[in-house]
Amino acid sequence: MPAKNTRSRYGWVSVAIHWLMAIVVIGMFALGIWMRQLSYYDPWYQDGPTIHKSIGVLLFILLLARIGWRSINIRPNDDPILKNWERTTAHLTHFAMYGLMLMLMTAGYLISTADGRQIEVFNLFSVPATVQGIENQEDIAGEIHEILAWTLILLAGVHALAALKHHFINRDSTLLKMLGRDANNTIANSPQKEPEL
């Protein structure tokens, strides 16, 4: 599998970033839900948020890398049997997820730095607090963070169901391309349909 994308498949860099981010986002959501159940005396009461914040910063860096990599790579062609509304919906969903992740991580940053403390990332480096002192900053950013997290996870679920629908019902190359498979071989061996206008 090539490192860069081609017109018929995603390269291994795009594939690796996509699946790594998917796993981390789901894990971060689960960690966030679990942390809300912890009592003050639980040993994870401090450690859970510290891990959550550190991974959040690394995920933000990975998201920027993904956006940068996407900007310098060609995008594989859509499967020719996709309907116009499916193409449009897929593209809008991708942009929505990028936007949601950026806003979600910004809200997380505002929660973590509301008291003026920097974020220590696994004791490797720190992210300074640049915005603090806003009235009720931690509470407001916390509510926004939670709403965005639920929105992102629901949209990601719809995205995953759509990929499975394309794979098992439409039998097109949509999911296979994100697994690094060459769409040309898939298309050649699948029944063709006329695209809907």
Side-chain angles (χ1 to χ4, degrees):
M1 184 192 314
K4 298 188 76 172
N5 302 342
T6 68
R7 286 297 180 190
S8 61
R9 73 197 300 173
Y10 286 99
W12 68 261
V13 174
S14 295
V15 172
I17 293 175
H18 174 274
W19 292 109
L20 178 59
M21 288 191 70
I23 292 167
V24 173
V25 165
I26 293 168
M28 286 286 279
F29 181 78
L31 178 58
I33 296 293
W34 179 68
M35 287 189 313
R36 293 177 63 96
Q37 317 303 318
L38 299 176
S39 68
Y40 181 78
Y41 299 102
D42 193 293
W44 280 96
Y45 186 81
Q46 297 293 333
D47 293 341
T50 299
I51 293 170
H52 191 81
K53 288 185 279 190
S54 294
I55 295 175
V57 171
L58 296 178
L59 185 61
F60 178 72
I61 294 170
L62 186 60
L63 175 61
L64 294 181
R66 180 176 184 176
I67 293 171
W69 184 253
R70 180 186 172 108
S71 70
I72 63 171
N73 262 272
I74 60 174
R75 197 178 65 78
N77 294 328
D78 292 321
D79 194 292
I81 71 170
L82 290 183
K83 302 174 181 66
N84 288 336
W85 68 266
E86 289 176 314
R87 289 189 179 91
T88 302
T89 303
H91 298 315
L92 290 176
T93 300
H94 281 114
F95 285 120
M97 286 197 291
Y98 286 138
L100 280 169
M101 284 189 282
L102 287 171
M103 291 187 292
L104 176 67
M105 294 170 195
T106 301
Y109 171 79
L110 293 175
I111 297 167
S112 303
T113 59
D115 59 1
R117 285 184 291 181
Q118 61 188 11
I119 301 172
E120 293 293 336
V121 183
F122 294 121
N123 294 321
L124 298 173
F125 63 94
S126 59
V127 178
T130 57
V131 180
Q132 71 267 353
I134 300 171
E135 188 175 355
N136 298 323
Q137 177 176 325
E138 187 173 358
D139 293 334
I140 294 170
E143 290 181 17
I144 293 171
H145 190 70
E146 183 176 4
I147 291 168
L148 291 173
W150 277 102
T151 305
L152 176 62
I153 211 72
L154 289 172
L155 189 58
V158 171
H159 174 68
L161 289 174
L164 292 173
K165 178 253 187 191
H166 280 286
H167 185 72
F168 291 108
I169 297 175
N170 298 89
R171 298 189 179 279
D172 61 35
S173 64
T174 302
L175 178 59
L176 293 175
K177 282 186 289 192
M178 191 42 78
L179 293 171
R181 299 279 300 278
D182 193 319
N184 288 332
N185 296 335
T186 307
I187 294 168
N189 296 320
S190 63
Q192 296 297 304
K193 299 178 186 176
E194 290 296 324
E196 184 178 296
L197 298 178

